[in-house]
Amino acid sequence: MLIEPVGHGPKFSRRAVLRGASGLFFSLAVAGSLRADTMALNIVEVAPGVYVHQGHVELQSPTNLGGMSNAGFVVGDVGVAVIDTLGSAKMGAALRAAIRSVTDKPIVYVINTHMHPDHVFGNAAFLQDNATFVGHRKLAAGLLARADSYLQSSQQMMGAEALQGTQVITPSLDVSDHHVLDLGGRQLTCRAQPTAHTDNDLIVTDSKTGVTFLGDLLFDTHIPTIDGSARGWLQTIDKLQGQSLTHVVPGHGEPLMKSPEAFNSVKRYLQQLITDVKQDIQSGKSMADSVNTAGLSEQNRWDLFEQYHKRNVTAVYAEIEWE
């Protein structure tokens, strides 16, 4: 389903690239100047045949064209799967150009890890490939319910020109539990997650290298944002930390991290929020008061804290107020 919209090199974080990656994994900057308007799109090969673009840790703007999240692609023997497509059709086109600089194999799948615009608004760039769009079974409902507000907000922050060609595209293949995609010589297993960051989180694991794309179930540098359930997110983290994941790609921050320790900072933040908000509720503080006090011990640990933290407190307060 399509809904038309209303009317540089990447900023790498101050943490070391590929922090904690083992010798089995390596980085390779793709040669050439791949640009969306005036923006170069850099790609890092984090494992054989697995590529990641590291997004800007900043708000969307006319300068970054919605390129704030991480996105990637996996190359098999017979086809390519794209995992998230950035925040505008222009950025999606730059990602597609990056893929074409690596391989001319057909792009057969476009996988969205969840509904947020910085991960799905580049989908339109891949319509020409007749790819199968893949997402959590709840993604379409969540995205369509918010489509107008997402498009309006993106236009206000980036401008109409930056959004030219952008469309809201929902999955043609829904994942209820898990689904295996065959790229030839390697398989990608897509697993739907319970409500956590959103109610439509999907993780993607490459059988050949073990690399898992987590979407926004994992944040690095960029403060986590809650659009689902903080308690559910913690439960999901506990489950993922107990699995045999080794190397993971977060939705924001470093292109590759080691599991299980990669989750520790997000886990600490969510636990601190719940603890502080619970104490505020028990002491009779209103939501308006709690947003000014809860979780402030985390202030210097995250980028974009001022922009997102208070809405996180609001979300947690509403979630646990009547427990």
Side-chain angles (χ1 to χ4, degrees):
M1 181 173 184
L2 310 181
I3 299 179
E4 294 292 339
V6 181
H8 111 195
K11 173 188 173 185
F12 289 91
S13 84
R14 50 186 176 269
R15 298 176 177 84
V17 173
L18 304 182
R19 178 180 58 194
S22 74
L24 293 175
F25 293 79
F26 60 98
S27 65
L28 171 66
V30 173
S33 178
L34 306 173
R35 308 184 73 86
D37 286 357
T38 60
M39 296 177 63
L41 192 66
N42 290 331
I43 301 296
V44 175
E45 188 173 20
V46 298
V50 181
Y51 298 81
V52 177
H53 164 67
Q54 183 178 356
H56 298 258
V57 180
E58 58 191 33
L59 298 177
Q60 60 190 145
S61 70
T63 302
N64 63 41
L65 298 178
M68 306 94 65
S69 66
N70 293 344
F73 59 97
V74 179
V75 182
D77 291 341
V78 299
V80 179
V82 184
I83 303 164
D84 288 336
T85 59
L86 305 172
S88 68
K90 291 185 177 183
M91 287 304 299
L95 178 60
R96 188 178 184 278
I99 296 169
R100 284 292 163 249
S101 77
V102 172
T103 179
D104 61 0
K105 293 173 182 176
I107 298 169
V108 291
Y109 297 107
V110 175
I111 307 166
N112 292 136
T113 61
H114 62 289
M115 65 184 174
H116 287 154
D118 54 325
H119 295 259
V120 305
F121 270 9
N123 282 1
F126 298 92
L127 288 172
Q128 62 189 293
D129 298 293
N130 295 314
T132 298
F133 289 86
V134 183
H136 191 290
R137 68 178 179 85
K138 293 185 178 180
L139 188 151
L143 179 56
L144 292 176
R146 298 163 177 82
D148 288 343
S149 62
Y150 282 170
L151 289 165
Q152 183 177 14
S153 175
S154 293
Q155 181 167 299
Q156 288 173 346
M157 297 185 75
M158 293 193 293
E161 182 178 352
L163 274 183
Q164 286 180 357
T166 300
Q167 301 173 356
V168 174
I169 301 171
T170 58
S172 49
L173 173 59
D174 293 330
V175 179
S176 297
D177 180 25
H178 74 281
H179 193 90
V180 178
L181 308 174
D182 192 352
L183 298 178
R186 70 200 315 159
Q187 296 177 325
L188 300 183
T189 300
C190 303
R191 296 189 182 277
Q193 303 298 304
T195 300
H197 169 62
T198 67
D199 72 351
N200 51 86
D201 299 310
L202 189 76
I203 68 172
V204 183
T205 301
D206 171 40
S207 65
K208 194 168 185 177
T209 64
V211 171
T212 297
F213 287 78
L214 293 171
D216 283 1
L217 288 172
L218 179 60
F219 281 76
D220 172 64
T221 305
H222 188 303
I223 187 173
T225 59
I226 304 168
D227 197 11
S229 164
R231 290 203 186 279
W233 197 342
L234 284 171
Q235 291 170 0
T236 297
I237 288 175
D238 285 342
K239 180 187 71 175
L240 293 172
Q241 284 186 311
Q243 295 177 359
S244 57
L245 305 180
T246 55
H247 291 83
V248 293
V249 179
H252 297 267
E254 300 293 348
L256 190 70
M257 302 176 73
K258 286 189 68 175
S259 180
E261 56 266 36
F263 295 95
N264 290 343
S265 293
V266 175
K267 190 172 185 178
R268 184 198 63 240
Y269 175 75
L270 295 173
Q271 289 173 331
Q272 190 65 58
L273 265 187
I274 291 172
T275 296
D276 289 357
V277 170
K278 188 173 182 179
Q279 290 176 349
D280 286 348
I281 291 171
Q282 291 174 344
S283 66
K285 279 188 177 181
S286 66
M287 182 185 291
D289 291 329
S290 187
V291 297
N292 294 313
T293 58
L296 292 185
S297 61
E298 291 285 311
Q299 186 165 8
N300 296 323
R301 298 178 184 268
W302 301 100
D303 290 348
L304 301 179
F305 186 91
E306 293 297 325
Q307 288 80 6
Y308 291 106
H309 176 69
K310 287 187 176 181
R311 82 174 64 167
N312 286 339
V313 176
T314 299
V316 171
Y317 195 105
E319 180 179 351
I320 70 174
E321 183 176 10
W322 302 109
E323 289 183 349

